[in-house]
Amino acid sequence: MEAGTRGRNRRGQGELLRSEIIAATLRLLEELGDDQALSLRAVAREVGIAATSVYLHFEDRDQLVYAAVESFHGDLAAAVEAAENAHDDPVAALTARVFTLADRLQRHPGLFKVLHESTLNQRASMPFKQAMGEGTVTAVQRCLDAALIPPGDAHELALDLRTAVHGAVSLRVNQPGEPREPLTDQLTRFLVKLLGIPT
Amino acid sequence: MEAGTRGRNRRGQGELLRSEIIAATLRLLEELGDDQALSLRAVAREVGIAATSVYLHFEDRDQLVYAAVESFHGDLAAAVEAAENAHDDPVAALTARVFTLADRLQRHPGLFKVLHESTLNQRASMPFKQAMGEGTVTAVQRCLDAALIPPGDAHELALDLRTAVHGAVSLRVNQPGEPREPLTDQLTRFLVKLLGIPT
DNA sequence: TGTACATCAGTGAACGCGCGTTCACTGATGTAC
DNA sequence: TGTACATCAGTGAACGCGCGTTCACTGATGTAC
């Protein structure tokens, strides 16, 4: 309804609003931790525009949520890849990968829930998530190739590792009250016990 | 609004409606996988009563959801305890415990989400969940006492096991489309690698 | 045995609210002449 | 340099909907006398 204090963008700069809307959506999703609870009208309020203005850039509420989640995942993937590439040693690279991913997710509990636990998973396929899983398999395979960990199947080892890491983040995100050891302590044990990384 | 085909209960049998409402709530929560998405009016429709009749037995929508979740958790805990008690050998008992818990949760994906991943966790404390965690610690301790697994800290071992199991169920529940090996295969690896159970 | 009545089990209308989406619109700004 | 006009960026009213909750109520049934 009533517009906020925000002025109109200059001609040709209409796309600026799009990123403002995405940013506001991410803030609200982080707060809510649930894509179904997000309302398009709340996003408009957060940005300071009329609810109908959202339709200038997104077909409907679902497309908006999807675009926001995809954007978050893109940042995440970039951070993980950068952390991994900062190390030559395969074990160090894999460790950096896992630590960075888990840490970033733990720092964005609401978005973690939207990305991995919301009903969006049932309602839309999110193909961009697949690359993240494959990256872990590759990282594990490099450790195997360099004989830095005991022989095994890269897919199975990566699956078990990802499963345990997912569980660690999920428990922390969903029961934030519980006292916990630092996340990396537990992740280190998983790397040692599940992959056989030497201590 | 309009009542269903369901007749009124006899005098003194008013509590029967309470359990019908709980059962309907559990059916809907299982479908929705999200406590916030459940509406009191949908529950009334499912039972075939007026929406206002729910207030005869529950203070408000939140109390209804809480009661339903507590009921589900009670059944779960009973099943897990029964499975565990069916074995004398501590390792067999622990294995039965973990398999039963994971299997039941996997078979009720919607209720798993409500119990462990919904915002209900933030809005209400669910003290009954604590006993389940303590049961696992005890089961692990028994294995340690009998020297059936390598020495270690029961709390830490139980935490890591629970974390990994939670991750396994969560991934399956949230990505039901993915092809997966049988759950018990993965759980067996976790028991072997995280606790050192001999193969 | 009959009947008045209290109680129990449940109803239905109504309230105000926030929602997603549609529609016709407004007014500033850049551009063609 | 001035001006008509197309386009762009965004608005505001309105729609129908389902929601949680409140309120006063109904009518069958068991019980006291």
Side-chain angles (χ1 to χ4, degrees):
Chain A
M1 300 302 176
E2 88 288 347
T5 55
R6 177 183 185 284
R8 188 196 303 217
N9 281 315
R10 301 202 89 72
R11 235 171 180 224
Q13 304 301 303
E15 289 302 309
L16 290 178
L17 180 54
R18 190 189 145 93
S19 48
E20 277 188 69
I21 294 172
I22 294 265
T25 302
L26 287 173
R27 283 197 298 279
L28 291 178
L29 285 176
E30 172 60 34
E31 255 179 52
L32 296 167
D34 178 6
D35 76 283
Q36 300 224 71
L38 181 94
S39 83
L40 180 146
R41 295 179 100 111
V43 171
R45 253 179 266 129
E46 173 86 6
V47 178
I49 55 174
T52 46
S53 301
V54 175
Y55 289 93
L56 297 173
H57 297 285
F58 303 95
E59 284 206 351
D60 53 27
R61 204 205 68 113
D62 276 7
Q63 298 271 339
L64 166 62
V65 170
Y66 188 90
V69 169
E70 187 169 16
S71 158
F72 173 64
H73 192 274
D75 291 352
L76 200 64
V80 167
E81 206 178 329
E84 188 175 9
N85 291 339
H87 295 84
D88 284 333
D89 174 56
V91 167
L94 173 61
T95 302
R97 178 182 179 85
V98 168
F99 280 15
T100 301
L101 178 58
D103 185 64
R104 297 275 284 222
L105 287 173
Q106 190 192 211
R107 286 184 143 77
H108 297 284
L111 289 168
F112 168 80
K113 286 176 72 59
V114 172
L115 192 60
H116 288 116
E117 302 179 349
S118 77
T119 50
L120 190 65
N121 285 287
Q122 269 87 305
R123 295 206 311 287
S125 76
M126 304 174 39
F128 48 83
K129 281 166 77 173
Q130 207 188 336
M132 193 79 95
E134 285 163 3
T136 303
V137 176
T138 304
V140 169
Q141 186 65 60
R142 286 207 186 99
C143 296
L144 287 169
D145 290 346
L148 295 171
I149 59 175
D153 176 65
H155 281 90
E156 191 177 283
L157 292 169
L159 173 66
D160 287 354
L161 180 62
R162 272 170 50 82
T163 300
V165 171
H166 175 87
V169 175
S170 176
L171 285 179
R172 281 158 196 266
V173 161
N174 285 296
Q175 288 158 20
E178 298 276 298
R180 306 256 185 208
E181 67 187 325
L183 178 55
T184 47
D185 289 4
Q186 193 178 26
L187 295 183
T188 301
R189 288 200 300 277
F190 285 143
L191 286 164
V192 169
K193 293 188 178 178
L194 294 176
L195 295 190
I197 284 180
T199 48
Chain B
M1 304 300 175
E2 87 288 347
T5 54
R6 178 185 184 281
R8 188 197 303 217
N9 281 314
R10 300 202 90 72
R11 239 177 175 215
Q13 305 300 305
E15 289 302 310
L16 291 178
L17 179 55
R18 190 190 145 92
S19 48
E20 276 187 70
I21 293 172
I22 294 264
T25 302
L26 288 173
R27 283 197 297 279
L28 292 178
L29 285 176
E30 172 61 34
E31 255 179 52
L32 295 166
D34 178 6
D35 76 283
Q36 299 224 72
L38 180 93
S39 84
L40 180 148
R41 294 179 101 110
V43 170
R45 253 178 265 128
E46 173 84 7
V47 179
I49 56 173
T52 47
S53 301
V54 175
Y55 289 92
L56 296 174
H57 296 285
F58 303 95
E59 284 206 355
D60 53 28
R61 202 206 70 113
D62 276 7
Q63 299 271 338
L64 165 62
V65 171
Y66 188 89
V69 169
E70 187 169 15
S71 159
F72 172 64
H73 191 274
D75 291 351
L76 200 63
V80 167
E81 207 178 329
E84 188 175 7
N85 291 339
H87 295 84
D88 283 334
D89 174 55
V91 166
L94 175 59
T95 302
R97 180 182 178 85
V98 168
F99 280 15
T100 302
L101 178 59
D103 184 63
R104 296 275 284 223
L105 288 173
Q106 189 191 213
R107 287 185 142 78
H108 297 284
L111 289 169
F112 168 81
K113 288 175 72 58
V114 172
L115 192 60
H116 288 116
E117 302 180 347
S118 78
T119 50
L120 190 65
N121 285 287
Q122 269 87 305
R123 294 205 313 286
S125 76
M126 304 173 39
F128 48 83
K129 281 165 78 172
Q130 208 188 334
M132 193 79 96
E134 286 163 4
T136 304
V137 175
T138 303
V140 170
Q141 186 65 60
R142 287 208 185 96
C143 295
L144 287 168
D145 290 346
L148 296 170
I149 58 175
D153 177 64
H155 282 92
E156 191 178 282
L157 292 170
L159 174 65
D160 287 355
L161 180 61
R162 271 168 52 81
T163 301
V165 171
H166 176 87
V169 175
S170 176
L171 285 179
R172 281 158 196 265
V173 162
N174 285 296
Q175 287 158 22
E178 298 275 298
R180 307 256 185 207
E181 66 186 327
L183 177 56
T184 48
D185 289 3
Q186 193 179 26
L187 295 183
T188 300
R189 288 200 301 276
F190 286 143
L191 286 164
V192 170
K193 292 189 177 178
L194 294 176
L195 295 190
I197 284 180
T199 47

Coordinates of all heavy atoms in Angstrom, one line a residue, chain A residues 1 3 6 8-9 11-12 14 50 52-53, chain D residues 6-16:
Chain A
M1 N 0.8 -1.2 0.0 CA 0.0 0.0 0.0 C 0.9 1.2 0.0 O 1.5 1.6 -1.0 CB -0.9 0.0 1.2 CG -1.9 -1.2 1.2 SD -2.9 -1.3 -0.3 CE -3.7 -2.9 0.0
A3 N 3.9 3.6 0.0 CA 5.3 3.4 -0.3 C 6.1 3.9 0.9 O 5.7 4.7 1.7 CB 5.7 4.2 -1.5
R6 N 11.8 5.2 0.4 CA 12.7 4.9 -0.7 C 12.2 5.6 -2.0 O 11.0 5.5 -2.3 CB 12.6 3.3 -0.9 CG 13.3 2.8 -2.1 CD 13.1 1.3 -2.2 NE 13.9 0.8 -3.3 CZ 13.6 1.0 -4.6 NH1 12.6 1.6 -4.9 NH2 14.4 0.5 -5.5
R8 N 12.2 6.4 -6.2 CA 12.2 5.6 -7.4 C 13.6 5.6 -8.0 O 14.4 6.5 -8.0 CB 11.2 6.3 -8.4 CG 10.9 5.4 -9.6 CD 10.3 6.3 -10.7 NE 9.1 6.9 -10.3 CZ 8.0 7.1 -11.1 NH1 8.0 6.6 -12.3 NH2 7.0 7.7 -10.6
N9 N 13.9 4.4 -8.6 CA 15.2 4.3 -9.3 C 15.2 5.1 -10.6 O 14.1 5.3 -11.2 CB 15.5 2.8 -9.6 CG 16.1 2.1 -8.4 OD1 16.9 2.6 -7.7 ND2 15.6 0.9 -8.2
R11 N 15.8 5.9 -14.5 CA 15.4 5.1 -15.7 C 16.6 4.2 -16.1 O 17.8 4.6 -16.1 CB 15.2 6.1 -16.9 CG 13.9 5.9 -17.5 CD 13.5 6.9 -18.5 NE 12.3 6.6 -19.0 CZ 12.0 6.7 -20.3 NH1 12.9 7.1 -21.2 NH2 10.8 6.4 -20.8
G12 N 16.3 2.9 -16.4 CA 17.3 2.0 -16.8 C 17.9 1.3 -15.6 O 18.6 0.3 -15.8
G14 N 16.0 -0.1 -13.2 CA 15.0 -0.8 -12.5 C 15.4 -2.1 -11.9 O 14.9 -2.6 -10.9
A50 N 5.5 -0.9 -2.6 CA 4.1 -1.5 -2.6 C 4.2 -3.0 -2.9 O 5.2 -3.4 -3.6 CB 3.3 -0.8 -3.7
T52 N 2.7 -4.8 -4.8 CA 2.6 -5.1 -6.3 C 3.9 -4.9 -7.0 O 4.1 -5.4 -8.1 CB 1.5 -4.2 -6.9 OG1 1.7 -2.9 -6.5 CG2 0.1 -4.7 -6.5
S53 N 4.8 -4.1 -6.5 CA 6.0 -3.8 -7.1 C 6.9 -5.1 -7.2 O 7.8 -5.2 -8.1 CB 6.8 -2.7 -6.4 OG 6.0 -1.6 -6.4
Chain D
dA6 P 3.3 8.6 -28.2 OP1 3.0 8.7 -29.6 OP2 2.3 8.6 -27.2 O5' 4.3 7.4 -28.0 C5' 5.6 7.4 -28.6 C4' 6.6 6.8 -27.7 O4' 6.9 7.7 -26.6 C3' 6.1 5.5 -27.0 O3' 7.2 4.6 -27.0 C2' 5.8 5.9 -25.5 C1' 6.8 7.0 -25.3 N9 6.3 8.0 -24.4 C8 5.1 8.6 -24.3 N7 5.0 9.5 -23.3 C5 6.3 9.5 -22.7 C6 6.8 10.3 -21.7 N6 6.1 11.2 -21.0 N1 8.1 10.0 -21.3 C2 8.8 9.1 -22.0 N3 8.4 8.4 -23.1 C4 7.1 8.6 -23.4
dT7 P 7.1 3.0 -26.6 OP1 7.8 2.2 -27.6 OP2 5.6 2.8 -26.4 O5' 7.9 3.0 -25.3 C5' 9.2 3.6 -25.2 C4' 9.6 3.7 -23.8 O4' 8.9 4.8 -23.1 C3' 9.3 2.5 -22.9 O3' 10.4 2.1 -22.2 C2' 8.2 2.9 -22.0 C1' 8.6 4.4 -21.8 N1 7.5 5.3 -21.3 C2 7.8 6.2 -20.3 O2 9.0 6.3 -19.9 N3 6.8 7.1 -20.0 C4 5.5 7.0 -20.4 O4 4.7 7.8 -20.0 C5 5.2 6.0 -21.4 C7 3.9 5.9 -22.0 C6 6.2 5.2 -21.8
dC8 P 10.8 0.7 -21.8 OP1 11.8 0.1 -22.7 OP2 9.5 -0.1 -21.5 O5' 11.5 0.9 -20.3 C5' 12.2 2.1 -20.1 C4' 11.8 2.6 -18.7 O4' 10.6 3.3 -18.7 C3' 11.7 1.5 -17.7 O3' 12.7 1.8 -16.7 C2' 10.3 1.7 -17.1 C1' 10.0 3.1 -17.5 N1 8.5 3.4 -17.7 C2 7.9 4.5 -17.0 O2 8.6 5.2 -16.3 N3 6.6 4.7 -17.2 C4 5.9 4.0 -18.0 N4 4.6 4.3 -18.2 C5 6.5 2.9 -18.7 C6 7.8 2.6 -18.5
dA9 P 13.0 0.7 -15.5 OP1 14.4 0.8 -15.2 OP2 12.3 -0.5 -15.9 O5' 12.1 1.4 -14.4 C5' 12.5 2.6 -13.8 C4' 11.7 2.9 -12.6 O4' 10.3 3.2 -13.0 C3' 11.5 1.8 -11.6 O3' 11.7 2.3 -10.3 C2' 10.2 1.2 -11.9 C1' 9.4 2.4 -12.4 N9 8.3 2.2 -13.3 C8 8.2 1.2 -14.3 N7 7.1 1.2 -14.9 C5 6.4 2.3 -14.4 C6 5.1 2.8 -14.6 N6 4.3 2.3 -15.6 N1 4.7 3.8 -13.9 C2 5.5 4.3 -12.9 N3 6.7 3.9 -12.6 C4 7.1 2.9 -13.4
dG10 P 11.7 1.3 -9.1 OP1 12.5 1.9 -8.0 OP2 11.9 -0.1 -9.5 O5' 10.1 1.4 -8.7 C5' 9.7 2.7 -8.3 C4' 8.2 2.7 -8.3 O4' 7.7 2.3 -9.6 C3' 7.5 1.8 -7.3 O3' 7.1 2.5 -6.2 C2' 6.4 1.1 -8.1 C1' 6.3 2.0 -9.3 N9 5.7 1.3 -10.4 C8 6.2 0.2 -11.2 N7 5.3 -0.2 -12.1 C5 4.2 0.6 -12.0 C6 3.0 0.7 -12.7 O6 2.7 -0.1 -13.6 N1 2.2 1.7 -12.3 C2 2.5 2.6 -11.3 N2 1.6 3.5 -11.0 N3 3.6 2.6 -10.6 C4 4.5 1.6 -11.0
dT11 P 6.2 2.0 -5.0 OP1 6.6 2.7 -3.8 OP2 6.2 0.5 -5.0 O5' 4.8 2.5 -5.4 C5' 4.6 3.8 -5.8 C4' 3.1 4.1 -6.0 O4' 2.6 3.4 -7.2 C3' 2.2 3.6 -4.8 O3' 1.3 4.7 -4.5 C2' 1.4 2.5 -5.4 C1' 1.4 2.8 -6.9 N1 1.4 1.6 -7.8 C2 0.2 1.4 -8.6 O2 -0.7 2.1 -8.5 N3 0.3 0.3 -9.4 C4 1.4 -0.6 -9.5 O4 1.3 -1.6 -10.3 C5 2.5 -0.4 -8.7 C7 3.7 -1.2 -8.7 C6 2.5 0.7 -7.9
dG12 P 0.8 4.8 -3.0 OP1 0.8 6.3 -2.7 OP2 1.5 3.9 -2.1 O5' -0.7 4.3 -3.2 C5' -1.5 4.9 -4.2 C4' -2.8 4.2 -4.3 O4' -2.7 3.1 -5.2 C3' -3.3 3.6 -3.0 O3' -4.8 3.7 -3.1 C2' -2.9 2.2 -3.1 C1' -3.1 1.9 -4.6 N9 -2.4 0.8 -5.1 C8 -1.2 0.3 -4.7 N7 -0.8 -0.7 -5.4 C5 -1.7 -0.9 -6.4 C6 -1.8 -1.8 -7.5 O6 -1.1 -2.7 -7.8 N1 -3.0 -1.6 -8.2 C2 -4.0 -0.7 -7.9 N2 -5.0 -0.7 -8.7 N3 -3.9 0.2 -6.9 C4 -2.8 0.0 -6.2
dA13 P -5.6 3.7 -1.7 OP1 -5.8 5.1 -1.3 OP2 -5.1 2.7 -0.8 O5' -7.0 3.2 -2.3 C5' -7.3 3.5 -3.7 C4' -8.1 2.3 -4.3 O4' -7.2 1.3 -4.8 C3' -9.0 1.6 -3.3 O3' -10.3 1.4 -4.0 C2' -8.3 0.3 -3.1 C1' -7.6 0.1 -4.4 N9 -6.5 -0.8 -4.4 C8 -5.4 -0.8 -3.5 N7 -4.5 -1.7 -3.7 C5 -5.0 -2.4 -4.8 C6 -4.5 -3.5 -5.5 N6 -3.3 -4.1 -5.3 N1 -5.2 -4.0 -6.6 C2 -6.4 -3.4 -6.8 N3 -7.0 -2.3 -6.2 C4 -6.2 -1.9 -5.2
dA14 P -11.6 1.0 -3.2 OP1 -12.7 1.8 -3.7 OP2 -11.3 0.9 -1.8 O5' -11.9 -0.5 -3.8 C5' -11.5 -0.8 -5.1 C4' -11.4 -2.3 -5.3 O4' -10.0 -2.6 -5.0 C3' -12.2 -3.1 -4.3 O3' -13.3 -3.7 -5.0 C2' -11.2 -4.2 -3.7 C1' -10.0 -4.0 -4.6 N9 -8.7 -4.2 -3.9 C8 -8.3 -3.6 -2.7 N7 -7.1 -4.0 -2.3 C5 -6.7 -5.0 -3.2 C6 -5.6 -5.8 -3.4 N6 -4.6 -5.7 -2.5 N1 -5.6 -6.7 -4.4 C2 -6.6 -6.7 -5.2 N3 -7.7 -6.0 -5.2 C4 -7.7 -5.1 -4.2
dC15 P -14.3 -4.7 -4.2 OP1 -15.6 -4.6 -5.0 OP2 -14.3 -4.4 -2.8 O5' -13.7 -6.1 -4.4 C5' -13.6 -6.7 -5.7 C4' -13.1 -8.1 -5.6 O4' -11.6 -8.0 -5.6 C3' -13.4 -8.8 -4.3 O3' -14.7 -9.3 -4.4 C2' -12.3 -9.9 -4.3 C1' -11.1 -9.1 -4.9 N1 -10.2 -8.7 -3.8 C2 -8.9 -9.2 -3.7 O2 -8.6 -10.1 -4.5 N3 -8.1 -8.9 -2.7 C4 -8.5 -7.9 -1.8 N4 -7.6 -7.6 -0.9 C5 -9.7 -7.3 -1.9 C6 -10.6 -7.7 -2.9
dG16 P -15.2 -10.8 -4.4 OP1 -16.3 -11.0 -5.3 OP2 -15.3 -11.2 -3.0 O5' -13.9 -11.6 -5.0 C5' -13.9 -12.9 -5.4 C4' -13.1 -13.8 -4.5 O4' -12.1 -12.9 -3.8 C3' -13.9 -14.5 -3.4 O3' -13.5 -15.9 -3.6 C2' -13.4 -13.9 -2.1 C1' -12.0 -13.4 -2.5 N9 -11.5 -12.4 -1.6 C8 -12.2 -11.3 -1.0 N7 -11.5 -10.6 -0.2 C5 -10.2 -11.1 -0.3 C6 -9.0 -10.7 0.4 O6 -8.9 -9.7 1.1 N1 -8.0 -11.5 0.1 C2 -8.1 -12.6 -0.8 N2 -6.9 -13.3 -0.9 N3 -9.2 -13.0 -1.4 C4 -10.2 -12.2 -1.1

